[in-house]
Amino acid sequence: ASSGAREHLASCGDCRARLQEIRAFADSARALPDPVPSPDLLDRIHARIDAGERVILPTFSDPARPRAIHPSSVLIAAAAMIAVAVALWMARPVREAQAGSTSGVLEFSPAAPGARDSVHVRFRAPARLSGERTLRLRARYRTRSDESYDWGTSQRMAAVLHASADGVYEGVVALPDSVVYAVFAVEDQAGHQVDDHDRALWELLVHGPGGRPTYDALIQRENDLIGRNMELAVATARRRAELYPERPEAWANLYAIETYNLGESQRRLHEHRARLDSMNRRWATTANPPFAIVDGLLSYAAQVTERDDPHGRAVRDRWRPVRERVTREDPAEPDAVQARWWRLNDLAMQGRDSARAALALAERFWSGTGRGDRVGAMVGFQIARMAEDTGDARISWADRRVTLTPAAAEGVYREISGERALRPAAIKRLEALAIHLLVPDDSRRALESNRAQAAATDSARARWVFAMLGELRLSAGDTAAARDAFSRATGGGWDLGLFRRAAPALLTTGDTARALDVAARLAADPGTPKATVDSLADQGRTMLGDARWTALVAEARQKMRTYFLRAATRTVVPREIALVDAANRPTTLRQLTRERVSVVTFWSRHCAPSRQEMARLGDLRARLDERDMALVPITAEAPTQEVADYLTQNPAKVPVYFDVSNAARQAFGQWATPEYYVLDSRGVVRFRHSRLDLVLAQAVSLVEE
């Protein structure tokens, strides 16, 4: 290679990854046996030509008759393949990958570590990461006090993995103190290529002396999965109750998460009430039950009984005094600390005067034993709200909440901005947040994201913060500052919700040109309701004239296509993926899409977010039908009578297809629900793991690619 090419490869991770793929392709070619055409190959070729197909048929060699290959022929063929691959790649700026083959293999030893153990890591890299001298292992660590979702967690580098002689990358992870659960991803040193195990990530649970995952590890696994994979979160809650059946809090949590995801069930409720009664009688015979048991019984009673229920009242009367006594005896015990925070919250809920007393107690508690507790920061912020505080206490609790849960910043500062006396402090903090989001920070970069994707995510979040600032400045009468904030909010990206808020506000600030530009973007997006498009058109034509408005919408439509196509990928999936319909009749993905731009979605009746979005698929299907595009909703279940009964009670308003062989899930690398994929007319996946509010615009953007 020339010196210029070497310099480019040194600075470009994408090029290095593609070169490694090409080299791996050539190495594989050297090991291939010379194929022997099957006897009926010519007949099959003629038959498919007669049918009008333009294809290259597969050939099959006889494994019993290996043939020698002349080295020169392999090298010539490999060189030709490299030349063709390079030419094709240079002509296509979007990355092309084969679904299901983009993830490596990450192994931990020991696979079931204890607290503070050192873990040896071995990683067999996929082609796009092989060839690097070192790789980065990034982690999200969780302690026993972390909350659900990933709002309060941060990511960090866990280890550097070094290439060994056999091409496997190795390193050592030293689990920090207090960590009970961790998830991992692998990336190159530049953060351009990320292996996230098809979004599932790799995980470690800390185990106890008996060889089972600790109770806290299972809590944190569930907390991490909430928002990522609700079905696995439910499965983890069940596993925790199975492994720790004596813990009432495990059953209380299981009842709550199953009810949320599976719906109300009288049978389930009766089972849990019977279990609560049994556990209450069992633990009443123990002289000094652990605090976690006492608090768990009270939590369980709150979940499955009403306030006037005699069983629930018996549990509360029996265990509340015990909890108060145990709390006094060991006030620094972590569960006791959180219980004291919730007691303060209960006090605050009795009225404003009680809330003010609770606020003073919360401040005193925070200065001592309760300091730094995430639940405490959340509760303290709530108490300050209930106390109707409009001074320093409200701001202090807001800052504490944001420090411990950074992703809550927008909501927290928006809330305090509702108080006129606190608005300047809120504006100051929102301005600092917007600037902070525009500076790269690997600690908030999701493990699944490369640095470019993280920058796009942070930029989108910053635009919403600027929109908030615009509204606050406008309400304060500072039109110039509001205009500048809305200008920054709409300076990039594609977000209908943001456009809807910004367009009228920009008109109010007097920035008519930008307001009309944003209105044109709304009109150009296929997801905007027709009535809204017509209203925008009437206003636009009145202000600009028909020709200028039409041109502005066309320009906005091109901006939309450019924005989405810049982020598009190319992931090849088999076209003949086997599915069955609700009547158990076989079909394939090819038959359902029929060489049309299509949206494939995976859903589950056992996932509450998925069920909620299923109700919106009818509208998406109608909009796709208007454009001769296809919607293919897939579930991993079989078309059983139970599923049929569910669909009768909860009409989907769209056809449902069943992935009985699991081929679709494997081909798409699907891990959670709801999931959305947008395919072009050739069946290539161009947008993976998309969102319901984006797929229509993405699909339309592919039509005139």
Side-chain angles (χ1 to χ4, degrees):
S2 67
S3 59
R6 284 194 295 270
E7 291 175 4
H8 179 74
L9 286 171
S11 63
C12 180
D14 287 342
C15 292
R16 288 199 306 276
R18 180 49 59 98
L19 183 59
Q20 290 300 326
E21 290 174 354
I22 292 168
R23 286 173 174 167
F25 190 27
D27 290 341
S28 299
R30 292 186 179 92
L32 288 175
D34 195 8
V36 178
S38 61
D40 65 339
L41 177 59
L42 188 59
D43 291 337
R44 287 189 289 124
I45 291 174
H46 284 304
R48 297 184 74 169
I49 289 174
D50 291 341
E53 294 186 34
R54 296 176 60 83
V55 296
I56 298 176
L57 294 178
T59 62
F60 303 90
S61 59
D62 182 356
R65 297 179 58 194
R67 295 177 57 185
I69 306 174
H70 196 282
S72 63
S73 64
V74 173
L75 293 175
I76 293 171
M81 285 188 287
I82 292 174
V84 171
V86 170
L88 288 173
W89 171 55
M90 292 179 68
R92 291 176 179 267
V94 226
R95 180 173 177 74
E96 189 159 336
Q98 192 73 28
S101 63
T102 57
S103 182
V105 177
L106 188 66
E107 299 171 340
F108 299 108
S109 180
R116 298 180 296 279
D117 273 0
S118 291
V119 179
H120 182 246
V121 180
R122 285 172 56 85
F123 179 63
R124 298 184 182 277
R128 59 197 174 94
L129 283 173
S130 63
E132 300 283 340
R133 294 177 60 187
T134 59
L135 296 172
R136 291 159 45 98
L137 182 70
R138 296 182 71 229
R140 179 166 62 243
Y141 291 132
R142 280 182 167 271
T143 67
R144 70 189 306 272
S145 63
D146 282 315
E147 302 173 74
S148 299
Y149 300 92
D150 296 328
W151 297 339
T153 57
S154 62
Q155 286 65 227
R156 66 179 81 174
M157 192 168 81
V160 175
L161 305 182
H162 298 270
S164 59
D166 60 356
V168 174
Y169 293 84
E170 299 185 65
V172 175
V173 173
L175 292 176
D177 290 352
S178 75
V179 167
V180 297
Y181 176 78
V183 285
F184 300 88
V186 183
E187 66 181 24
D188 62 10
Q189 288 292 342
H192 293 158
Q193 297 287 338
V194 176
D195 187 350
D196 60 5
H197 194 29
D198 287 330
R199 295 177 70 82
L201 304 173
W202 289 276
E203 64 176 12
L204 274 178
L205 288 85
V206 168
H207 287 59
R212 63 178 177 173
T214 67
Y215 188 79
D216 290 329
L218 290 166
I219 290 176
Q220 291 306 322
R221 182 179 197 257
E222 179 186 330
N223 285 349
D224 201 80
L225 287 166
I226 290 175
R228 293 201 299 130
N229 188 321
M230 289 302 295
E231 286 186 274
L232 277 182
V234 172
T236 304
R238 290 171 176 164
R239 181 65 171 157
R240 176 155 56 110
E242 175 188 336
L243 290 177
Y244 295 89
E246 76 284 1
R247 301 284 294 261
E249 188 270 340
W251 295 103
N253 173 75
L254 178 60
Y255 174 77
I257 196 169
E258 284 190 334
T259 299
Y260 172 70
N261 282 281
L262 307 179
E264 298 283 351
S265 167
Q266 284 301 310
R267 181 173 62 83
R268 187 188 312 125
L269 180 60
H270 290 317
E271 289 175 354
H272 279 279
R273 284 178 174 171
R275 185 179 291 105
L276 170 65
D277 187 53
S278 173
M279 297 183 87
N280 182 42
R281 285 186 277 105
R282 173 193 171 186
W283 285 107
T285 63
T286 303
N288 294 296
F291 179 89
I293 297 297
V294 175
D295 197 51
L297 284 165
L298 290 167
S299 175
Y300 202 6
Q303 285 288 344
V304 302
T305 66
E306 301 295 335
R307 185 167 293 276
D308 58 351
D309 183 281
H311 293 292
R313 189 164 54 248
V315 173
R316 287 187 287 273
D317 291 346
R318 171 72 179 82
W319 296 109
R320 276 179 175 170
V322 177
R323 182 172 65 181
E324 292 177 5
R325 174 177 58 79
V326 174
T327 300
R328 288 194 301 270
E329 291 173 354
D330 189 6
E333 201 275 333
D335 288 328
V337 169
Q338 293 195 356
R340 290 171 68 187
W341 280 116
W342 287 119
R343 287 175 59 195
L344 287 172
N345 191 70
D346 291 342
L347 173 63
M349 293 179 68
Q350 296 175 18
R352 187 179 64 175
D353 291 342
S354 296
R356 289 179 174 174
L359 183 60
L361 291 171
E363 188 65 41
R364 188 184 311 164
F365 190 28
W366 183 267
S367 66
T369 309
R371 188 175 191 83
D373 187 84
R374 281 197 176 93
V375 169
M378 178 181 67
V379 169
F381 181 63
Q382 292 175 177
I383 292 174
R385 178 201 307 134
M386 289 185 278
E388 299 178 10
D389 184 86
T390 57
D392 292 342
R394 189 85 171 272
I395 296 172
S396 294
W397 282 108
D399 288 342
R400 291 164 184 167
R401 171 73 169 142
V402 170
T403 297
L404 292 174
T405 311
E410 293 94 322
V412 167
Y413 293 140
R414 170 176 278 282
E415 179 181 316
I416 68 171
S417 73
E419 302 288 347
R420 184 178 295 274
L422 302 180
R423 193 166 297 157
I427 289 174
K428 179 180 178 181
R429 284 158 173 76
L430 286 169
E431 287 175 337
L433 174 62
I435 294 170
H436 176 68
L437 288 171
L438 296 177
V439 177
D441 183 350
D442 269 1
S443 69
R444 68 169 180 264
R445 174 164 65 97
L447 295 179
E448 300 90 340
S449 299
N450 63 27
R451 283 184 172 144
Q453 292 165 334
T457 298
D458 287 345
S459 178
R461 188 178 165 195
R463 286 193 290 273
W464 273 98
V465 175
F466 281 121
M468 271 192 256
L469 285 167
E471 291 169 344
L472 291 173
R473 293 295 194 185
L474 198 57
S475 66
D478 191 344
T479 304
R483 185 187 305 119
D484 178 68
F486 279 117
S487 176
R488 300 188 72 172
T490 57
W494 195 270
D495 190 319
L496 285 185
L498 184 60
F499 296 162
R500 282 192 292 267
R501 287 173 61 171
L506 282 163
L507 276 178
T508 303
T509 67
D511 193 345
T512 304
R514 184 170 287 275
L516 287 168
D517 178 72
V518 174
R521 292 186 231 173
L522 279 170
D525 192 290
T528 302
K530 186 177 183 303
T532 303
V533 173
D534 292 342
S535 175
L536 291 168
D538 289 342
Q539 187 178 24
R541 290 185 182 110
T542 299
M543 299 179 72
L544 295 175
D546 184 69
R548 181 69 187 109
W549 172 253
T550 301
L552 196 61
V553 173
E555 182 182 338
R557 191 170 291 116
Q558 185 56 48
K559 287 179 181 177
M560 179 187 75
R561 291 194 184 101
T562 301
Y563 173 77
F564 285 117
L565 292 178
R566 187 182 296 123
T569 60
R570 296 182 188 274
T571 304
V572 180
V573 296
R575 298 295 300 276
E576 302 299 338
I577 293 174
L579 302 166
V580 299
D581 64 14
N584 210 21
R585 293 172 299 207
T587 185
T588 66
L589 184 62
R590 180 193 292 273
Q591 290 173 321
L592 297 172
T593 58
R594 292 188 287 110
E595 298 186 353
R596 296 175 292 170
V597 172
S598 307
V599 175
V600 172
T601 177
F602 288 84
W603 68 280
S604 170
R605 64 190 174 100
H606 301 303
C607 172
S610 184
R611 291 200 314 273
Q612 292 159 6
E613 293 199 1
M614 274 295 285
R616 299 169 56 192
L617 291 186
D619 179 64
L620 174 62
R621 182 195 181 193
R623 290 171 179 263
L624 289 169
D625 284 347
E626 290 173 359
R627 296 164 172 84
D628 192 30
M629 299 176 181
L631 175 67
V632 184
I634 299 174
T635 183
E637 294 192 79
T640 62
Q641 186 59 48
E642 183 181 3
V643 177
D645 292 342
Y646 171 82
L647 292 173
T648 299
Q649 297 167 9
N650 305 271
K653 300 181 182 179
V654 293
V656 174
Y657 301 98
F658 299 84
D659 183 25
V660 293
S661 66
N662 211 34
R665 293 188 70 181
Q666 291 179 357
F668 282 87
Q670 181 263 329
W671 179 70
T673 56
E675 285 275 49
Y676 299 89
Y677 302 81
V678 184
L679 284 61
D680 63 22
S681 59
R682 294 163 296 175
V684 177
V685 180
R686 305 301 305 282
F687 300 97
R688 304 181 68 198
H689 315 295
S690 188
R691 302 199 320 257
L692 179 57
D693 59 335
L694 294 179
V695 292
L696 185 59
Q698 290 169 336
V700 169
S701 296
L702 293 175
V703 173
E704 297 182 14
E705 184 185 5

